[in-house]
Amino acid sequence: MTDDATLCAYLDSASQLAGLTLTAETREPVAAQLRVLVSMAQLFEDIPLQADTDPATLLRL
Amino acid sequence: MAKTESALDIALAIRSGQRSALSVVQQTLAAIAEHDPALNAFTQVLADEAITQAHHIDRIVAGGGDPGPLCGVPFAVKNLFDVRGVVTLAGSRINASLPPAASDATAVSRLKQAGGVLVGCLNMDEYAYGFTTENSHYGATRNPHDTTRVAGGSSGGSAAAVAAGLVPLSLGSDTNGSIRVPAALCGIYGLKPTFGRLSRHGVAPFVHSLDHVGHFARTVADLALAYDVLQGANAADPCCSIRNVEPVSSALNDNAGSARAAVLGGWFTRNSSPAVAQAVQQVAAALGTGNTVQLPLAEAARAAAFCLTSAEGGALHLTNLRQQPQNFDPATRDRLMAGALLPSRWVLQAQRLRRVFLDSALALFEHHDVLIAAATPFQATPIGQTTIQLGEAQLSVRANLGLYTQPISFIGLPVLTVPVVVPGHLPCGVQLIAAPWCEQRLFQVAAQLEKAGIVGPAAIIR
C-alpha cells in the first residue's frame, strides 16, 4: 500500500467492508489520515521480531 | 487567579476545626464562577452536590469523627469519569444524549470516601483523542498562564483547573500523554502510574490496551496524598493490579539523593525547543547526572502507539462512525475512521513490538532508577495554531505534542511529570520515568527536586 492509487482503492473497499460511508467532505481527510498511518506503520512493520514474541505477554510487567 | 492552597493544608484546617468544609466549598465555587469563564476548564459545576457533601463532612468533624485524609478537599474530574447522576460526556456531543451515570467511577468514589468533595466535571478533547483540548463542541480550554494558548490535552480542563488554583486536585486519564502533556503546559505535577495500578472502572475507554487513570496537583505531597487514596485492587476492573497499596506519602523524604538517574537521548531530544532542553538539563544537574542513555526503537514504538490508538479507537467507536459520523468533531472522526481500516497485521506487529521495547527499557533500569525526558518538545502554543517551526522543521502541533510521551505509555511505565521553574516564561514539564511499579521512587525524586527549588508549580503571570 505504498502508492496513492493503491491507498485510495484500499480506502474505498475497506470502508465499504467496514460499513463506513465516505462522503465528498470526508473522503479526502480520511485518506490523508490513512496516509499518515501508513507512513507510521512503515516505521515498525518490518522490524524483525522473534517468532515467539507473543502479544499476550505484552503486559507482563 | 484563585488563591492557591494545598490539599494537605485544607484537610488539616477542616479536621482541626479552624475552617468548615462548607466555607471551603463556597470559596471554591466562587473562584470557579469568577475565573472559569476565562479558562473554560469546567463543563459542569456540581454546586448543590458539593454543598451537601461539605455539610456531611462538617457533621462528621463536629461529632469527633475523621472524614478521611482528604477531609473536605475540593476536587474535580475529567468528564470521562462516571459521576452518579451526571451524563459522562467524554468530550463528545454524541454522549450528551446518554442517560446519567448510575454510580461513581471507582477513582471518584475513592476520593469521596476519603473525604474529598467533588465540585465539577472538566473539559477534554473529544473521546480523549488529542493533545490540545480544542474541543469543537464545548470550546477550547485556555492555559491559565496565557489564555490565548492551549492548556494541552486531552485532560486539559483537569490541568487548567489545578494550575489556576480552582481546585488542588483533579483526575485525568492518559493514553498517549494526556496527563503528562497538559501537566507540562500548565506547569503542575501529573502522575501517570504503571499500567493497571489504578482502577479504570467507570471511566469511558479510548484505547483499552493503553488507557491509564491518573491525577494532577500543585505539590508533590498533594499528588502523593491522592495517590495513596486512589490505589488498591478493584474487582470491577479486570485490568487493575491485585498488588497491595504501596503508600508514598509517608516515604517522600526517604532515599534522598540516592537515585541513579540518566537522561534519555536520541528520539527524546530530537526537535526539542531550547527552553525545554534547558529544563531537562536543570533536572539532570540537580540529580547529579551527566549521563545520557539511548532507548532503542523509540521512534518505532511511538509509531506503533500511534497506529494502535487509531485502530483500537476506531473499532471502539465503529457503530457511531457508521450511524452518526456528522456528530463527531471532524478531526476526531477522520482519524478514527482511518484507524478502523488498518490491516490487522500492523496492529498485531505493534502489539508484539511492545514486548521487545519493554525489554529494552527494563535493561536500562538495571543500572538506573529514574530516566529523565522532556514531556513535550515545546511550550504551550496559541489556540488555533496548527504548526510550529523548530529549527528547520515545520511541525504539526497536534501530532507532535506527544512525541516524547507516547513511547513510554506504550509500555506502561510509571511517569511523574514535574514542572520546572522557569521564571517569567511559559511552563516546561519533565518526565521522571521509573521501572514498573516503582512509583514510590518517582515521588521521592520529585520531592527532592521540589525541596531544592528546581521544580514547583509555575506562578500565574498577569
Side-chain angles (χ1 to χ4, degrees), chain B residues 146-380:
Chain B
D146 179 345
T147 54
T148 68
R149 293 175 185 267
V150 298
S154 65
S155 310
S158 303
V162 170
L166 302 182
V167 285
L169 296 170
S170 66
L171 290 178
S173 66
D174 188 316
T175 301
N176 282 296
S178 287
I179 287 174
R180 292 162 287 163
V181 169
L185 300 193
C186 288
I188 56 172
Y189 297 94
L191 178 71
K192 183 208 78 64
T194 308
F195 184 84
R197 172 73 88 171
L198 301 185
S199 171
R200 305 187 300 187
H201 168 248
V203 182
F206 171 26
V207 181
H208 284 101
S209 75
L210 291 169
D211 290 343
H212 302 68
V213 162
H215 59 298
F216 299 87
R218 286 191 302 272
T219 70
V220 177
D222 280 0
L223 199 72
L225 179 70
Y227 177 60
D228 287 347
V229 167
L230 289 167
Q231 288 184 62
N234 180 217
D237 175 6
C239 214
C240 188
S241 167
I242 57 170
R243 296 171 74 94
N244 291 330
V245 173
E246 296 167 16
V248 296
S249 292
S250 56
L252 285 181
N253 296 318
D254 296 351
N255 301 313
S258 64
R260 300 168 300 164
V263 174
L264 283 177
W267 175 258
F268 296 93
T269 55
R270 199 184 300 174
N271 292 321
S272 276
S273 72
V276 165
Q278 185 187 334
V280 170
Q281 288 311 312
Q282 280 179 236
V283 169
L287 295 178
T289 182
N291 291 347
T292 297
V293 294
Q294 304 296 324
L295 181 51
L297 296 174
E299 183 176 16
R302 186 261 179 164
F306 197 101
C307 290
L308 268 186
T309 299
S310 289
E312 283 196 45
L316 182 70
H317 293 288
L318 189 57
T319 300
N320 284 331
L321 289 169
R322 287 170 174 158
Q323 296 175 352
Q324 46 177 332
Q326 73 282 4
N327 289 327
F328 283 82
D329 179 325
T332 312
R333 178 198 61 212
D334 299 341
R335 287 179 291 168
L336 291 174
M337 276 191 171
L341 308 179
L342 275 192
S344 61
R345 69 184 174 85
W346 287 347
V347 177
L348 279 171
Q349 173 77 351
Q351 293 286 20
R352 295 175 75 216
L353 185 65
R354 298 174 86 171
R355 177 80 258 156
V356 176
F357 187 57
L358 176 60
D359 286 344
S360 68
L362 294 179
L364 292 179
F365 289 116
E366 289 176 12
H367 305 286
H368 302 93
D369 301 307
V370 176
L371 300 174
I372 304 163
T376 59
F378 41 84
Q379 293 149 296

Side-chain angles (χ1 to χ4, degrees), chain A residues 8-19:
Chain A
C8 288
Y10 177 83
L11 174 64
D12 289 334
S13 57
S15 58
Q16 195 174 2
L17 196 62

Side-chain angles (χ1 to χ4, degrees), chain B residues 374-451:
Chain B
T376 59
F378 41 84
Q379 293 149 296
T381 50
I383 290 169
Q385 181 175 315
T386 56
T387 61
I388 185 168
Q389 187 79 30
L390 282 179
E392 294 182 2
Q394 182 85 3
L395 301 175
S396 159
V397 170
R398 283 192 174 200
N400 287 287
L401 272 169
L403 277 184
Y404 306 148
T405 53
Q406 283 179 282
I408 307 302
S409 34
F410 184 57
I411 48 175
L413 301 179
V415 185
L416 201 162
T417 299
V418 293
V420 178
V421 177
V422 190
H425 291 83
L426 289 167
C428 288
V430 170
Q431 298 183 89
L432 303 176
I433 306 157
W437 314 114
C438 293
E439 284 89 345
Q440 187 181 82
R441 199 69 166 129
L442 295 178
F443 275 94
Q444 290 167 347
V445 171
Q448 175 191 338
L449 292 168
E450 185 181 58
K451 206 170 181 179

